Amino acid sequence: MTKTTQTKTYHAGPMLCMQGQGVVKGYAIGKAVVMGVTALEVDHYRISPETVSAECERLRNAMAAARDELRRLAETLPADAPRELGPLLTVHSLLLDDSTLIGQVCDLITHQHYNAEWALTTQGQLLEEQFAIMSDDYLRERGSDIRQVIERVLRVLSGTSGSAIHDLDTPDSGESLIVVARDISPADMLRLRDGRFSAFLTDLGGPASHTAIVARSMNVPAVVGLGHFRGLVRDGDMLVVDGFTGSVLVNPSPYILDEYVQRQADFLRERQELVRLRDAPAVTIDGVAVELHANIEQPDEARLALDAGADGIGLFRTEFLFMNRRELPSEEEQFNAYADVVRVMQGRPVTIRTLDVGADKGLDEDVVVATNPALGLRAIRYCLANPEVFVTQLRALLRASRFGHIRILIPMLTNVHEVHEVRQALQAAKEQLMAHGHDAAFDVSLGAMVETPATAIAIEPFAETLDFLSIGTNDLIQYTLAVDRGDGEVAHLYDPLHPAVLRLIANVINAGERYGIPVAMCGEMAGSAELARLLLGLGLTSFSMHPQQLLDVKKEITGAHSTALRAAVASALNRSERIHLSALD
Ligand code: PEP
Ligand code: MG
């Protein structure tokens, strides 16, 4: 929880402003608590050849002690610990178990006669460099796991505990405190999660760093990537953190401090008002009821959807169950995952998308990459080419439908014959289940993701034969504008407001109205509060988004007049004009 600042007295050091990357929104005002020892601060010296084996032994003991500490922490995780922490602690203790790492560091001690600390930091830097050049953002950031594990061992070698925050075990004084660190390991994050801290600031890290992931789950403002900030701040300096812009002010003037106290109070009031909206219906001023659903990637996120007041799950991206593993998930494993979500959602509709792999989401690193994977064997094309994988998933979905309302969503349908092939596969899955003693009363609806311009333009046969449609704007924009959604070089051309994109969306929504079938949107556009009025103006009445975006969108909807927006948007679209969002306020 963010603490408001009551006092205006502050440390009178020099004023400083630093810019990092805001990864959790919010403001914090409080005193700096600068976290300890880093890899850069260890002794570097050569040992004599006779002491090599003793030095290796010292290293092994320190690694074992650090591993024991991590295991103890993992075993005593409190029930309310962020769910990411358990697996992260396991990764760290596995790194300490890695015989290659121990072997390589001992080689440096044996052949170069480095002391253990020097050998450990040298090997760590090598590994970090290897991670730094990886093209995958997530893997690149995992280089920080290596660094954090090494720093833990260094602290054991230096005679302190493995934690960088042993000196912070002070009782909660009620004062607002802000952690300033080079980086924060998951294990240390655990010790910091007790509500004593109003913000986290780190020199390293990006949006997928542990600090960002865990701070987000704790809802505490965080700024990462601050460069050399830790070296510039002293314990007790007064800090102002702006998690929106990523700026951090050190010892600001009383005038600026007042301004941020006000901003913080306004922000907290807005959040409290938003929470009140949780159980309020999402209805426009002129009485149009809107459904707000949640996008999830793992079964345990269904709980977040429910907590945010979602009307159902609008998109369960099942491909995440299939990734980072050697064997595909069995029917039983999939059945349990789908049934869990359906049970948690207590009768609300659960839209489960069949496997959407290919393009940016590969299952197997060894598979030869297609010349143009975004236009290749992906999504439903992959599934129809691999009937065993597809029918296994369909069997699991049909079985799970016994526990509630499952809507099967097919990604990237582009040709009507693909709908017929999907129906055949569904029929085969039903027959296989019946042959194994299941009775025939499966109740699922079948829908299409509208992700290609072809489908959006020639939507009628899909609207005629399917039970629902869901617009996947992430891909629809990429295919309509010929802009790779993952390519930073052309990110400025990725434009949700392009008239061509809006006309396609309007075409799909209109077809839904004519054919009497529900049309939802589950791409990122649906979760943007700034675009909510525009989408209402296009006639959208079912939005699906990350659970944490739900209340912001609901707020926009309850303050909007749908009829007026529909007239304004229709006239702009007819004139093929670029829509200015400010004209819809
Ligand atoms: C989309 O394309 O809009 C979508 C929701 O699917 P994904 O982002 O998983 O491709
Ligand atoms: Mg998509």
Side-chain angles (χ1 to χ4, degrees):
M1 279 299 104
T2 313
K3 290 176 182 169
T4 35
T5 310
Q6 308 296 335
T7 169
K8 286 186 194 166
T9 54
Y10 60 97
H11 190 282
M15 163 125 177
L16 178 73
C17 177
M18 291 289 285
Q19 188 62 42
Q21 196 172 4
V23 288
V24 186
K25 288 180 188 169
Y27 298 101
I29 302 169
K31 287 189 177 165
V33 178
V34 182
M35 276 173 58
V37 190
T38 77
L40 301 174
E41 296 159 3
V42 299
D43 288 338
H44 292 61
Y45 56 89
R46 286 192 196 267
I47 56 169
S48 61
E50 307 79 64
T51 55
V52 160
S53 60
E55 194 68 358
C56 286
E57 197 51 29
R58 193 165 79 87
L59 172 80
R60 281 202 193 87
N61 290 341
M63 288 179 92
R67 196 172 50 227
D68 288 349
E69 270 185 19
L70 283 171
R71 291 222 173 107
R72 265 198 309 281
L73 270 173
E75 279 160 17
T76 52
L77 269 183
D80 61 340
R83 65 194 164 77
E84 295 84 357
L85 275 176
L88 293 176
L89 291 176
T90 310
V91 168
H92 281 199
S93 58
L94 285 176
L95 283 171
L96 285 165
D97 272 335
D98 181 13
S99 56
T100 327
L101 178 64
I102 303 178
Q104 284 161 339
V105 181
C106 276
D107 274 357
L108 285 170
I109 296 174
T110 312
H111 302 299
Q112 307 292 334
H113 296 168
Y114 288 0
N115 66 322
E117 289 86 343
W118 186 3
L120 196 58
T121 46
T122 306
Q123 189 56 34
Q125 268 152 18
L126 261 176
L127 289 170
E128 264 195 71
E129 278 160 22
Q130 285 164 8
F131 275 92
I133 54 171
M134 290 186 176
S135 57
D136 182 284
D137 287 351
Y138 180 80
L139 287 179
R140 207 168 41 247
E141 291 217 358
R142 299 290 71 80
S144 63
D145 289 295
I146 302 278
R147 188 181 51 254
Q148 289 165 359
V149 162
I150 283 176
E151 288 184 358
R152 177 167 287 275
V153 181
L154 286 174
R155 287 188 291 269
V156 177
L157 284 168
S158 74
T160 60
S161 88
S163 168
I165 55 161
H166 57 281
D167 47 341
L168 294 185
D169 291 338
T170 47
D172 187 351
S173 61
E175 207 170 30
S176 173
L177 300 175
I178 293 172
V179 174
V180 181
R182 184 158 168 266
D183 198 6
I184 308 176
S185 72
D188 284 345
M189 228 26 210
L190 177 63
R191 302 185 63 195
L192 298 173
R193 60 163 255 300
D194 58 6
R196 267 182 306 162
F197 299 101
S198 310
F200 297 112
L201 306 177
T202 59
D203 287 354
L204 305 176
S209 61
H210 297 136
T211 315
I213 294 169
V214 182
R216 217 171 274 136
S217 76
M218 292 158 65
N219 208 10
V220 169
V223 178
V224 300
L226 280 160
H228 299 289
F229 186 59
R230 180 180 161 277
L232 302 171
V233 188
R234 285 172 298 162
D235 264 334
D237 275 341
M238 178 55 79
L239 302 181
V240 168
V241 178
D242 184 336
F244 293 90
T245 61
S247 55
V248 181
L249 308 177
V250 186
N251 298 322
S253 69
Y255 176 75
I256 292 178
L257 199 59
D258 274 349
E259 164 66 23
Y260 275 93
V261 168
Q262 189 55 46
R263 284 192 200 184
Q264 186 187 40
D266 291 347
F267 174 69
L268 291 177
R269 199 175 38 253
E270 274 169 30
R271 299 297 333 157
Q272 273 153 14
E273 280 165 16
L274 272 187
V275 171
R276 267 190 245 129
L277 277 181
R278 184 192 172 281
D279 298 315
V283 179
T284 63
I285 293 171
D286 53 332
V288 174
V290 174
E291 285 178 22
L292 296 179
H293 294 257
N295 293 355
I296 61 168
E297 287 162 6
Q298 296 289 344
D300 60 0
E301 289 168 5
R303 174 76 35 210
L304 298 177
L306 207 60
D307 291 348
D311 294 314
I313 300 296
L315 172 65
F316 177 3
R317 290 180 160 101
T318 58
E319 52 275 14
F320 287 88
L321 297 175
F322 289 67
M323 288 176 182
N324 298 325
R325 52 192 296 163
R326 290 194 182 280
E327 288 180 359
L328 298 178
S330 64
E331 177 186 322
E332 202 57 27
E333 182 183 337
Q334 291 189 58
F335 161 71
N336 286 325
Y338 307 147
D340 276 355
V341 175
V342 173
R343 283 196 202 98
V344 169
M345 293 312 290
Q346 300 161 9
R348 295 169 182 82
V350 174
T351 313
I352 304 186
R353 181 171 73 183
T354 55
L355 185 59
D356 182 2
V357 285
D360 54 331
K361 295 180 259 187
L363 277 188
D364 184 349
E365 288 152 15
D366 301 333
V367 166
V368 180
V369 175
T371 45
N372 194 338
L375 305 182
L377 193 69
R378 58 164 298 198
I380 189 57
R381 301 171 183 178
Y382 175 93
C383 285
L384 293 176
N386 293 277
E388 189 42 45
V389 176
F390 191 38
V391 175
T392 303
Q393 181 169 40
L394 293 175
R395 281 199 308 268
L397 286 167
L398 289 168
R399 284 174 56 197
S401 71
R402 286 291 157 74
F403 300 99
H405 181 191
I406 286 193
R407 305 173 359 139
I408 299 180
L409 181 60
I410 309 293
M412 223 189 152
L413 276 177
T414 307
N415 302 288
V416 181
H417 65 76
E418 290 161 348
V419 177
H420 300 315
E421 289 171 56
V422 168
R423 286 207 188 280
Q424 280 167 3
L426 203 53
Q427 186 56 31
K430 284 182 186 168
E431 283 166 13
Q432 288 168 13
L433 287 175
M434 281 152 59
H436 281 86
H438 295 269
D439 78 49
F442 301 112
D443 182 23
V444 290
S445 26
L446 188 66
M449 295 269 301
V450 181
E451 302 186 274
T452 65
T455 315
I457 293 167
I459 187 69
E460 287 75 8
F462 297 96
E464 206 173 349
T465 52
L466 289 164
D467 303 315
F468 68 98
L469 301 170
S470 186
I471 308 175
T473 51
N474 306 340
D475 278 315
L476 185 62
I477 297 170
Q478 109 161 325
Y479 293 130
T480 304
L481 304 181
V483 173
D484 183 339
R485 62 192 263 192
D487 185 347
E489 300 275 343
V490 286
H492 60 291
L493 298 174
Y494 187 89
D495 178 12
L497 297 185
H498 193 295
V501 172
L502 298 185
R503 282 185 169 201
L504 292 179
I505 293 173
N507 199 44
V508 178
I509 295 172
N510 293 342
E513 285 175 355
R514 274 184 285 126
Y515 285 85
I517 69 163
V519 175
M521 179 180 287
C522 60
E524 294 302 303
M525 274 180 87
S528 158
E530 289 77 40
L531 297 181
R533 284 168 177 267
L534 167 65
L535 296 175
L536 285 173
L538 286 165
L540 189 73
T541 53
S542 181
F543 296 58
S544 191
M545 66 205 77
H546 300 293
Q548 66 270 28
Q549 296 171 314
L550 217 124
L551 295 180
D552 282 313
V553 172
K554 192 187 272 191
K555 185 174 171 216
E556 283 300 315
I557 286 166
T558 53
H561 194 286
S562 166
T563 318
L565 287 169
R566 288 203 76 164
V569 170
S571 99
L573 278 189
N574 284 341
R575 295 193 304 273
S576 239
E577 274 173 7
R578 191 178 168 79
I579 289 194
H580 294 287
L581 294 178
S582 55
L584 303 177
D585 282 345

